Amino acid sequence: MPTAGADATRLTRSEKTEPLLVVEDLKTYFQTPNGLVKAVDGVTLSVERGKTLGVVGESGSGKTVLSRSIMRLNTAGNVITHGSVTYNGEDLLAKSPRQMRDIWGVEMAMVFQDPMTSLNPVVKVGRQMTEHIRHHLGVSKKDARDTAVELLRSVRIPEPEARFDNYPHEMSGGMRQRVCIAIALACGPKMLFADEPTTALDVTVQHQILNLLGQQQVDRFMTMIMVTHDLGVVAGRTDEIAVMYAGKVVEKAPTKQLFADMRHPYTEALLRSIPKIDDPKHTKLSAISGRPPDLINPPSGCAFSPRCPYAQPQCFTDTPPLGAAPTPGHQYACWFPVGSPEGKDAWDKNLEAKRPQTMAAAGLVNATEELAAGAVVGG
Amino acid sequence: MTLLDDAKSDTSSPSPSSNTPGKKKRQSPLAVFREMPILVKLSALWVLLIVVGSIYGKIDVLLDDVLPLQDPILQTNAFNPDTLEFGTGTPSENPSLTHWLGTDSIARDGFARIVHGSWVSLIVALVSATFGIVVGGFLGSLVGFVRGKTETIIMSLIDVILAFPALVLLLAMVSIFEVRNLYVISLVIGFLSIPAYTRVARANSLAISNREFVLAAQAIGTKPSKILFREIIPNVYQSLLSYALVAAAFVIVVEGTLSFLGLSVQLPTPTWGNMINEARSNINLTVWPVVWPSLALTFTVLSFNQIGDFFQKRNAVRGSAL
Ligand SMILES: Nc1ncnc2c1ncn2[C@@H]1O[C@H](COP(=O)(O)OP(=O)(O)OP(=O)(O)O)[C@@H](O)[C@H]1O
Ligand code: SF4
Ligand SMILES: [Mg+2]
């Protein structure tokens, strides 16, 4: 097997047009006392070299499990993984943990959601960096220190020499996330996973960190997967977006295309939940009504059907496949897509029947609530 | 406020800011002392006194009575062959300026015996804590991290040792050794402390292994052995240290019990336990020789507990078993 793998690598390396990462029908299930949790349920996607893929979905949709499954970081003993993950022509799922260690850090790295917990609290940040650098690059202590300071500088940490001897708790959240990014970048990975890298940070810091990631990606020609629950975060920073719901990709399109012509009702609902600057003051944000689906006993038919404003009887029985839209690269899984005549019919029908989900999405329920609340707020 | 948060946090709830063992790592001891409630402050002072006193006593013994402290074994009323005179002391004296804590039934100075006796308690506490932290801490960290068969095997062994009545096991082990000096006693007690430390360390290791920084270390290709030594163990030890204080209190009582049963360090070396044991038969003559070592023992155990609790709250350590 190893020789075949090596040959395959050489082949694909010459073929620069091949996507760096290809994920096919990836399934990650967890065995729990309550049943099988289908956290990732048949995801297919690919990312080309140097591009950024945004993975969007609300909490519990399986984004973290997906990115950890691709990186083979699901350490829980109760995990079952199927499908294939091909990175640079190599089958990652066939690798042993020992073989993965040559991939981790050097080929792929990850920036985690919470910089408060992703640094070892009892080791100085500089030490956390140099050990890693020395281990992978085999350089002297002094060289490792220089490299680390340089890295800290490159992620815009002021006075990197002084910061080198700080413990994580002596730094702010944004600063720590910069350190985490520096550590992830230390060995020049070709692929970076950012799992909600800014969710735990202040809004002002969020932008800085996102800009930093974007900058580093361009500078280092990295391929990136950016995971977030916020469509606003990925809007201007990704080449392609995959929208996840209940462990499945429900819509996938080049970023511009997605925003211009979204087809899936869930994508539309996500977008509606982003505040817009030109909204009038006190506009109520439309949250998606209903709960995220049960991953152990998912609803039959389309997983989004209990919450979908467009849902029709067919949706409750038949699972829509991920099919191609007319525009190249655009796929969605829906029987009554947004913006299509069928979708419009479905919407009108539901509105007429006063389906609560549709009423809420149309702002009709919210509007009355606003009226009721307005008296109090206004007074 | 972080102090309170830390105290309340629990590893099962992954609240972001909670439970960062190293948080106050770089505070100076004086700053930590200031942070203590008054009772803990007093406890710290008492322990300091015991430490200084026992070292003072030990130096006195080693350097043949150079320091102004009476000989704990000398009967102050005994005939002195050098001066050809009897000592000035009497048995069962009440506290006075010459004998601060009085004398016992054979006229030995109470204060000197308390000071010298503290050495035994201190050494037993230290040795068992060292054993527990080094061996138990390592085993617990290891099994909490690697899990699987290793964990099952090691923890079964540990549980078997724990399931034995500790005192019986202690008596059995002590009786195996011919000599019963301080080191043998300390080693036996130390060995028997390992299981408890292992359990505490394992609980901590399990929690720490699930923390994100361990995954982060894995995600950059860190070897498992390095993760164990660099990520897990330093964090486990941080919390074990405060556990050790509480455990030390327990161990001091165990030694006291052994001495009381006449199974600890050989006489006439004074220990608080054997002082109580010897003095209780003459309690009708004088109560002081029972009172002083009992008080010393009580205060010391209380102090260790207080300080241990303080640090445990500070580091939000959970799990204790002894
Ligand atoms: N080890 C595990 N055992 C059982 N279930 C798990 C395990 N890990 C994750 N899950 C479940 O998988 C589902 C997907 O979780 P995941 O963390 O991927 O969601 P997410 O999209 O990243 O959400 P968030 O935005 O909150 O990070 C959740 O319902 C979670 O409970
Ligand atoms: S319209 Fe039907 S298929 Fe499409 S998202 Fe809604 S429920 Fe699913
Ligand atoms: Mg997540």
Side-chain angles (χ1 to χ4, degrees):
Chain A
M1 264 333 275
T3 42
D7 283 345
T9 320
R10 228 169 283 137
L11 262 178
T12 44
R13 281 226 171 101
S14 56
E15 273 180 80
K16 287 290 181 211
T17 48
E18 275 280 286
L20 181 63
L21 178 77
V22 180
V23 176
E24 267 168 289
D25 199 25
L26 184 65
K27 292 180 178 157
T28 304
Y29 297 166
F30 296 102
Q31 275 167 324
T32 69
N34 301 329
L36 202 59
V37 176
K38 297 178 180 171
V40 172
D41 198 11
V43 167
T44 297
L45 48 83
S46 64
V47 194
E48 276 165 38
R49 285 161 210 273
K51 300 282 193 215
T52 303
L53 170 72
V55 176
V56 192
E58 63 195 326
S59 191
S61 53
K63 309 177 300 285
T64 298
V65 174
L66 172 66
S67 49
R68 289 186 187 176
S69 300
I70 295 174
M71 267 189 87
R72 293 277 312 278
L73 284 172
N74 272 321
T75 47
N78 59 345
V79 64
I80 308 166
T81 309
H82 289 294
S84 87
V85 176
T86 315
Y87 170 80
N88 210 1
E90 293 181 71
D91 180 5
L92 288 192
L93 296 190
K95 284 183 182 291
S96 68
R98 192 181 296 268
Q99 289 169 322
M100 279 312 293
R101 252 180 272 141
D102 297 331
I103 303 265
W104 288 328
V106 184
E107 296 287 333
M108 295 178 155
M110 185 177 273
V111 177
F112 291 85
Q113 172 167 348
D114 189 352
M116 297 301 174
T117 58
S118 51
L119 290 171
N120 187 345
V122 298
V123 180
K124 292 176 181 169
V125 294
R127 184 102 182 260
Q128 301 196 32
M129 296 180 73
T130 50
E131 286 195 340
H132 170 44
I133 293 170
R134 291 190 64 194
H135 170 65
H136 275 298
L137 307 180
V139 294
S140 75
K141 235 181 188 149
K142 198 188 159 299
D143 286 350
R145 190 190 164 101
D146 292 346
T147 313
V149 169
E150 214 32 66
L151 270 166
L152 288 177
R153 203 188 310 281
S154 80
V155 296
R156 315 261 152 68
I157 287 190
E159 302 177 67
E161 288 92 353
R163 288 299 182 175
F164 192 85
D165 289 318
N166 276 174
Y167 284 96
H169 67 88
E170 295 169 305
M171 298 183 148
S172 67
M175 198 84 91
R176 284 197 223 187
Q177 194 60 299
R178 286 169 194 271
V179 171
C180 292
I181 293 172
I183 291 178
L185 297 180
C187 294
K190 298 183 187 63
M191 172 133 211
L192 186 68
F193 288 80
D195 187 357
E196 311 215 26
T198 59
T199 309
L201 303 176
D202 281 347
V203 187
T204 45
V205 185
Q206 281 185 8
H207 276 272
Q208 296 168 4
I209 296 289
L210 289 170
N211 290 343
L212 173 69
L213 278 173
Q215 173 93 52
Q216 293 288 336
Q217 187 205 3
V218 174
D219 290 355
R220 296 162 183 268
F221 195 68
M222 279 188 302
T223 310
M224 190 147 90
I225 289 191
M226 169 97 83
V227 171
T228 174
H229 60 258
D230 185 352
L231 259 182
V233 161
V234 286
R237 304 175 196 274
T238 54
D239 300 294
E240 206 185 0
I241 291 178
V243 179
M244 274 188 85
Y245 188 77
K248 291 192 167 79
V249 171
V250 294
E251 182 161 20
K252 195 166 57 178
T255 306
K256 279 211 186 88
Q257 171 70 20
L258 187 85
F259 280 96
D261 186 21
M262 62 187 54
R263 290 307 177 99
H264 202 279
Y266 180 63
T267 315
E268 189 188 48
L270 273 182
L271 189 69
R272 216 183 294 119
S273 65
I274 307 176
K276 282 170 219 68
I277 293 179
D278 48 359
D279 275 343
K281 262 191 203 166
H282 301 303
T283 300
K284 188 155 182 180
L285 272 184
S286 133
I288 307 176
S289 57
R291 291 166 161 271
D294 181 355
L295 296 175
I296 296 175
N297 300 305
S300 58
C302 173
F304 191 50
S305 56
R307 306 165 72 190
C308 179
Y310 296 80
Q312 296 299 308
Q314 187 190 3
C315 303
F316 296 96
T317 52
D318 304 346
T319 310
L322 190 65
T327 354
H330 191 165
Q331 291 176 303
Y332 60 87
C334 179
W335 298 124
F336 303 94
V338 180
S340 70
E342 307 89 59
K344 181 149 181 16
D345 279 353
W347 174 278
D348 289 343
K349 235 186 261 170
N350 282 346
L351 211 52
E352 211 162 300
K354 294 211 184 333
R355 181 174 158 83
Q357 292 85 337
T358 319
M359 300 291 282
L364 294 175
V365 179
N366 277 352
T368 43
E369 275 175 12
E370 285 275 306
L371 281 180
V376 184
V377 176
Chain B
M1 280 301 93
T2 43
L3 226 169
L4 275 178
D5 294 345
D6 276 351
K8 274 184 292 189
S9 72
D10 180 312
T11 40
S12 58
S13 67
S15 64
S17 66
S18 72
N19 195 16
T20 3
K23 200 168 250 173
K24 280 127 198 149
K25 193 171 185 219
R26 308 227 299 168
Q27 264 182 358
S28 73
L30 205 66
V32 177
F33 182 75
R34 277 207 206 94
E35 209 181 283
M36 292 174 173
I38 181 72
L39 209 58
V40 183
K41 271 196 182 112
L42 288 176
S43 303
L45 288 177
W46 173 259
V47 169
L48 191 71
L49 190 74
I50 295 294
V51 171
V52 170
S54 61
I55 293 173
Y56 183 93
K58 190 66 188 172
I59 293 175
D60 193 37
V61 171
L62 289 178
L63 299 185
D64 243 356
D65 275 337
V66 289
L67 299 172
L69 182 70
Q70 278 166 321
D71 185 339
I73 301 169
L74 179 78
Q75 301 179 349
T76 54
N77 60 353
F79 180 73
N80 186 335
D82 296 335
T83 55
L84 296 177
E85 274 170 23
F86 281 93
T88 52
T90 51
S92 307
E93 262 182 57
N94 282 335
S96 68
L97 277 180
T98 33
H99 302 293
W100 292 353
L101 302 183
T103 61
D104 68 3
S105 59
I106 51 174
R108 293 177 296 196
D109 182 64
F111 181 71
R113 288 174 66 73
I114 288 285
V115 172
H116 284 279
S118 65
W119 178 254
V120 171
S121 299
L122 201 72
I123 289 300
V124 165
L126 266 178
V127 170
S128 91
T130 312
F131 252 75
I133 289 176
V134 173
V135 184
F138 175 77
L139 285 179
S141 305
L142 177 75
V143 301
F145 174 56
V146 300
R147 312 291 314 263
K149 274 212 189 76
T150 323
E151 185 184 25
T152 319
I153 295 172
I154 293 184
M155 288 323 284
S156 313
L157 277 177
I158 292 292
D159 285 342
V160 167
I161 301 180
L162 268 181
F164 261 83
L167 204 62
V168 174
L169 206 55
L170 210 67
L171 296 181
M173 293 191 68
V174 168
S175 60
I176 293 172
F177 294 97
E178 301 273 288
V179 272
R180 292 207 315 272
N181 61 25
L182 180 54
Y183 304 100
V184 170
I185 301 294
S186 306
L187 286 183
V188 170
I189 295 181
F191 175 77
L192 290 177
S193 328
I194 291 174
Y197 279 89
T198 308
R199 297 207 69 126
V200 175
R202 172 177 164 275
N204 279 292
S205 173
L206 280 177
I208 289 163
S209 302
N210 285 327
R211 300 269 299 277
E212 212 152 58
F213 64 83
V214 174
L215 192 68
Q218 195 193 343
I220 52 175
T222 314
K223 270 193 268 179
S225 59
K226 195 129 195 198
I227 293 183
L228 177 64
F229 282 105
R230 176 55 71 209
E231 314 288 328
I232 311 273
I233 290 183
N235 282 290
V236 169
Y237 276 14
Q238 197 87 20
S239 34
L240 265 196
L241 284 177
S242 39
Y243 174 72
L245 285 162
V246 178
F250 181 83
V251 154
I252 289 175
V253 174
V254 168
E255 191 282 329
T257 315
L258 274 188
S259 316
F260 186 78
L261 296 174
L263 287 167
S264 182
V265 182
Q266 232 125 25
L267 294 174
T269 313
T271 78
W272 293 342
N274 70 25
M275 284 163 72
I276 302 173
N277 187 28
E278 278 185 80
R280 86 198 147 106
S281 52
N282 297 309
I283 204 160
N284 53 337
L285 296 177
T286 168
V287 292
W288 298 119
V290 178
V291 169
W292 299 128
S294 305
L295 278 184
L297 203 57
T298 311
F299 282 153
T300 309
V301 170
L302 212 68
S303 300
F304 270 116
N305 272 323
Q306 284 284 329
I307 303 171
D309 279 351
F310 170 77
F311 280 106
Q312 275 196 347
K313 276 195 195 120
R314 224 162 149 267
N315 291 350
V317 179
R318 70 260 106 214
S320 74
L322 237 170

